[in-house]
Every structure is written in C-alpha cells, then in structure tokens.
Amino acid sequence: MSADVERERPRHEDLVDERLVSWYFLAALGYMFISMLGGFLMGFQLIRHNPLRGIELLSPGRWRMIHTNAIAYGFLANAFLGALHWAVPRLALRPVLDRRLSYFIFGAWQVVVLSTAVGIMLGQAQGLEWGETPVWIDPLALAGLLLVAINFLAPIVRLRGPMYVTLWYFTAAFIWTFLTYAMGNFIPQYFVSGTSAGAVGGLFIHDLVGLFVTPLGWGLMYYFVPIMLKKPVWSHGLSLVGFWGLAFFYPLTGIHHFLYTPIPMFLQYGAVISTIAVEMVVTTVLINFFVTLRGATGALTNNLPIRWFYTGMVFYGLTCLQCAFQTTLTFQALIHFTDWVVGHAHMVMFGVFSMWLLGTMTYLFPRLLKTDWYSRTLCEWHYWLSALGIGLMSADLIVAGPFQGYFWASLLPWDVSVDFSIPFWAVRLVAGTMMFTGLLVFLTNLALTWAQARRAEEPAVLAAAA
Ligand code: HEM
C-alpha cells in the first residue's frame, strides 16, 4: 500500500455512512418479503388453489412479474448498494463523491422500484423479460444508475497505487449495468423489432446476471472472504483470469435464452460456445476460493457469514454446471420452457446472490448496530431454513423439468403435463414456506438485536441528558 494511503488512513466513520447501509439493507429485506408473497400467489395459482382469484390488481400473472422485479431491483439492487456503501469507501480510503447524492439515490431508487410494482399491477408492464419496468420509469432508472456510477467511481478513480480485484469488478459493474439497462429497455422498445429485438432482449436478460449481479457478487466475495478468514485469496493471478474471462465471454452468452428461434444460427452457436467458456472461467474462480479455504475449513461451522458465502459458491458451481449442459442444442430441446429453467433461476438468484447478500447482512448488522446478534440460534435457523428451502425448491423443479419436456415431445395433451407437475409445484410451496419462515426468523432476530442495542445505549443517553 503506497505511502500516502498509510499516512492518510481516514477513520471508518468518516468513510462509511452506516445509517445509509442499514437503510438499504432494510429496504432490501422489505422487497424480499413482498417478492416472496408474489411467489406464493403465483405458486398457489399454478396448483389451482388461488385464494385471491378474480381480483384484477392481484392477478397472478402481474404478481409473477412483481415477484421477479421486486427480487432483482428491490432486494438485490438495494442490498448491493448497501454493501457497496461499506466496501468501496473502505477499499478506496475515500468516501463516496457526496453523501447527499447517496441519500438522493436511495430515495430515487425506492421511487423506481415502488412505481414499477404499481405500474405492473395496473397492467403497464413493458414487454421485456426482466425489463417489465413500465416505459415511463426507464429514464429515471437509467439516470439513477448513472448517478450510482458517478458516486462510487469518484473515490475509485482517485485511488493511488495498486487496485484490488474487488474494485476491478465494481468499476466494471457500474459501467456495464448502466449500458445493459439502456440496451435492454430502449433498443427493443424504440429502435429494433422482431428477431433483432428478441436477440437484444436475450442479451439483456443474461447481461443483467453476468454484468450486474455477478461482478458485484464476486467483488464482495473477494472483499469479505479474506477479511473473515484473515488470509489473502490464494491466487491474485487467477482472480484476474476470472475477471477478464468474464469480461470477454459473458456479454456473448445471452442468446442462449432464445435457442431454436429465428435468430441467425451463427449467433446461437456463438452463445452456446461462449456459455461453455464462461463455465471454465467460473471454475477458475471457484478453485481460487476453495483453495483459499484450505486450512480454514473450521470457519464453515463457526463463522456463519463464511458458511452463507461458500454455500452460495456451491450453488454457483451447480448452476454453472447446469448452464454448460442446458446451453447445448440437444439438451435445450428437452428443457426449454420447463421447470428445469425455473429451478435454475431460483438456484442462482436465491441460492447464490441472495445467500451472499444475506451472509453480508449477517456479518454487517452487528457492526452497524454495535452489538452482537440477539440470538445465534435464530441466525442458524435463518441459514438452515434458507439453504434447505432453496435446495429442495431447485431440486424439485429441476427434476420436474425433463419429465415435462418428454411429455411435450410425446405430443400428449397439455393437461397431462400440468396434472403431472402439480405435486412438484406443491413441493415448491413447501420449500417456499421454509425460505419465507427463514426470512421471518431473520427479521425477528434483527428487531430483537436492534432493541438490545437501544437498551445498551440507554445508560449513555441518560448520562448525556443528565
Ligand atoms: C417464497 C418463496 C418463493 C416461491 C413460492 C416462488 C414461486 C415462484 C413461482 C410460482 C414462479 C413462476 C414460475 C413459472 O412461471 O412457472 C417463480 C419465478 C421466479 N422466482 Fe420465485 N419463488 C419464491 C422465492 C423466490 C426467491 C427468494 C427468488 C430470488 C431470490 C425467486 C426468483 C424467481 C425467479 C428468478 C423466477 C423466474 C423464473 C423464470 O422465469 O425462469 N423466487 N417463483
């Protein structure tokens, strides 16, 4: 670390606005709660037991979109913004560009997410998967992403000396996310149509995963894991192979969402090859983290955030292994549109990125509230209900998928595959109940920990008032 950094190491409280980190985390947990309710509504509709049938604003189709958008733009985006407000200033040793701007972005982003939910409920969803945000909100969302990039890039560009791999990932993510959102929400809507719009839509869907949540997620892992294991990541060289491999191959993969469509075959083959290449790149990253764990495996039992992180990494490995198979045209012919894909999506969105962020919250909330968790047992319950719940949900849906594919290939009446799927969809609701209960346990523990912190403050507050 260069001489001026050592000399000027600012105090933590001058770098990080802890209140803002808490606000982002609480907003994120609120949206996960809403999203899960949407998942249940759609889940009960699919087993033909929708208790809220016939109410337009509660139509399952609309709430399915709220389910996915609340999780992506509500939970993941807010939780990432909270974690970034902790990690970026501490890595760059400078605060973000402007704290008032951070609070403005916080407010503006909640307006974007809540307006999206209301717009979708009123039937104004944009016809783009993962881009259902109504068209009148897109310019605000894009402006918000630009302000986020400016606010966080300011301390990073002023950094002197070597830049840690986490800041490579974050820097790329700020630029990629802005460009990806602009590409997906504006080009198919205003500039191209038909197959071209489909191709851009496919790139958008996967770039949201590959160029937004993936670089932010791995960036956070490269930041928190060495801190918690008190040792550096095994290979810096391998971490750069991972970064540049992701940067080169990921943007090319998106059309694997639309194989067997009129999109030209050279683009489809390109997507298949680059998807398999990404799996090789991901393997280098996983090797790097699991070799780092050598000699510290005890942390998997006694360090809960580390257990969340590595559970997420196992799900990441499984999800990417799935990708390497499902991207081949042979396998795709069987599983496209089946629950294999829905299982895959839940495994990556909850099993990987949500678990990484819930692990980050489990690590940071005691530091933000200046007290230990009220109950370690409740923390364990949160982990086990979430991990076993997502394990059951993804396995259940992934097993159902190929059966559905064979039913459809056999040209049996559609209802045959629906009747066959209902027990699997019922198991999804059981698994969902485990994940939802896990969330409720976490929220309860958080409220009790907050009350504990307030009680601990009281003597000091009274002394100050005396
Ligand atoms: C309370 C638990 C949950 C239940 C009951 C549930 C249920 C559902 C249902 C019924 C669908 C629609 C599937 C279809 O159209 O066939 C769905 C889609 C989806 N859910 Fe969930 N979900 C839950 C939690 C979550 C969580 C926590 C996440 C992410 C963190 C998530 C991410 C997704 C995604 C990404 C899709 C879209 C899948 C696709 O289009 O392929 N779900 N969920």
Side-chain angles (χ1 to χ4, degrees):
M1 198 162 287
S2 60
D4 75 355
V5 173
E6 276 306 325
R7 197 175 43 252
E8 293 161 10
R9 180 181 291 280
R11 297 176 315 145
H12 169 78
E13 44 280 12
D14 298 333
L15 289 172
V16 176
D17 186 324
E18 294 190 345
R19 181 177 57 174
L20 193 60
V21 176
S22 307
W23 284 14
Y24 271 117
F25 283 172
L26 293 175
L29 293 168
Y31 292 119
M32 179 176 264
F33 184 89
I34 293 169
S35 167
M36 285 187 172
L37 294 182
F40 279 120
L41 189 58
M42 185 65 191
F44 278 105
Q45 170 74 15
L46 287 170
I47 62 162
R48 299 177 181 145
H49 280 78
N50 175 4
L52 304 168
R53 189 183 295 278
I55 306 170
E56 184 189 343
L57 291 183
L58 294 174
S59 80
R62 294 182 192 179
W63 273 83
R64 185 201 188 282
M65 293 185 270
I66 291 175
H67 175 59
T68 50
N69 279 265
I71 228 43
Y73 302 108
F75 173 75
L76 293 175
N78 272 294
F80 274 129
L81 283 166
L84 287 166
H85 273 92
W86 179 279
V88 172
R90 290 173 65 88
L91 271 170
L93 295 175
R94 285 180 179 78
V96 295
L97 179 67
D98 191 302
R99 279 195 189 193
R100 289 160 303 170
L101 179 57
S102 289
Y103 280 93
F104 172 76
I105 293 170
F106 175 81
W109 196 253
Q110 308 327 313
V111 170
V112 167
V113 179
L114 294 171
S115 320
T116 299
V118 173
I120 290 175
M121 255 203 286
L122 296 175
Q124 298 172 359
Q126 184 179 2
L128 176 78
E129 191 179 348
W130 287 107
E132 291 92 349
T133 315
V135 290
W136 46 272
I137 299 174
D138 286 331
L140 183 64
L142 197 59
L145 292 172
L146 180 63
L147 291 177
V148 167
I150 293 170
N151 204 24
F152 284 117
L153 286 174
I156 296 175
V157 293
R158 292 171 60 205
L159 188 66
R160 293 286 164 270
M163 196 160 92
Y164 183 54
V165 63
T166 292
L167 291 180
W168 288 67
Y169 274 112
F170 289 172
T171 303
F174 298 137
I175 298 165
W176 283 335
T177 308
F178 174 80
L179 293 174
T180 297
Y181 196 92
M183 172 189 76
N185 286 279
F186 291 85
I187 294 182
Q189 184 71 27
Y190 304 109
F191 301 103
V192 295
S193 58
T195 307
S196 313
V200 173
L203 292 174
F204 169 70
I205 297 170
H206 212 82
D207 287 355
L208 268 186
V209 177
L211 306 182
F212 163 39
V213 290
T214 300
L216 291 179
W218 280 120
L220 285 178
M221 291 304 103
Y222 276 111
Y223 176 70
F224 282 116
V225 169
I227 291 173
M228 293 177 200
L229 294 181
K230 297 188 175 43
K231 58 191 286 194
V233 167
W234 176 53
S235 162
H236 185 63
L238 211 50
S239 74
L240 294 183
V241 169
F243 175 79
W244 288 111
L246 178 127
F248 183 80
F249 288 113
Y250 231 123
L252 306 170
T253 60
I255 287 169
H256 71 215
H257 284 266
F258 296 137
L259 298 178
Y260 289 108
T261 62
I263 294 172
M265 282 318 287
F266 76 89
L267 287 175
Q268 298 190 32
Y269 289 137
V272 171
I273 294 161
S274 53
T275 303
I276 294 171
V278 165
E279 311 332 327
M280 296 177 196
V281 171
V282 164
T283 311
T284 66
V285 180
L286 290 171
I287 290 171
N288 206 0
F289 275 92
F290 279 90
V291 177
T292 304
L293 197 58
R294 230 178 10 190
T297 47
L300 292 173
T301 37
N302 53 41
N303 185 321
L304 207 46
I306 282 288
R307 198 191 312 157
W308 280 100
F309 294 161
Y310 276 84
T311 310
M313 289 182 203
V314 170
F315 278 125
Y316 199 93
L318 290 173
T319 310
C320 291
L321 193 61
Q322 262 194 308
C323 262
F325 287 98
Q326 71 194 40
T327 195
T328 60
L329 287 161
T330 322
F331 208 85
Q332 186 69 203
L334 176 67
I335 55 100
H336 197 82
F337 292 128
T338 72
D339 276 323
W340 169 284
V341 179
V342 181
H344 173 79
H346 279 96
M347 190 151 71
V348 74
M349 294 295 278
F350 186 81
V352 181
F353 299 110
S354 302
M355 289 193 98
W356 284 353
L357 288 162
L358 291 169
T360 302
M361 290 181 189
T362 303
Y363 175 74
L364 286 183
F365 267 127
R367 285 157 181 78
L368 297 167
L369 296 170
K370 311 281 179 262
T371 183
D372 285 337
W373 279 105
Y374 175 82
S375 162
R376 164 82 193 201
T377 312
L378 290 181
C379 282
E380 288 284 347
W381 273 100
H382 177 216
Y383 169 80
W384 285 109
L385 283 165
S386 304
L388 296 176
I390 191 60
L392 176 62
M393 186 187 280
S394 6
D396 166 64
L397 295 169
I398 289 167
V399 169
F403 287 98
Q404 293 160 342
Y406 283 120
F407 274 119
W408 299 343
S410 69
L411 300 179
L412 278 168
W414 171 257
D415 277 6
V416 174
S417 67
V418 173
D419 293 342
F420 167 85
S421 303
I422 287 192
F424 288 92
W425 292 339
V427 170
R428 167 175 42 208
L429 290 170
V430 173
T433 307
M434 290 166 70
M435 292 153 66
F436 191 57
T437 312
L439 177 64
L440 296 180
V441 166
F442 186 56
L443 293 174
T444 310
N445 199 10
L446 188 55
L448 293 169
T449 307
W450 179 77
Q452 173 183 281
R454 296 306 299 269
R455 276 197 304 279
E457 269 172 23
E458 255 154 34
V461 173
L462 293 173

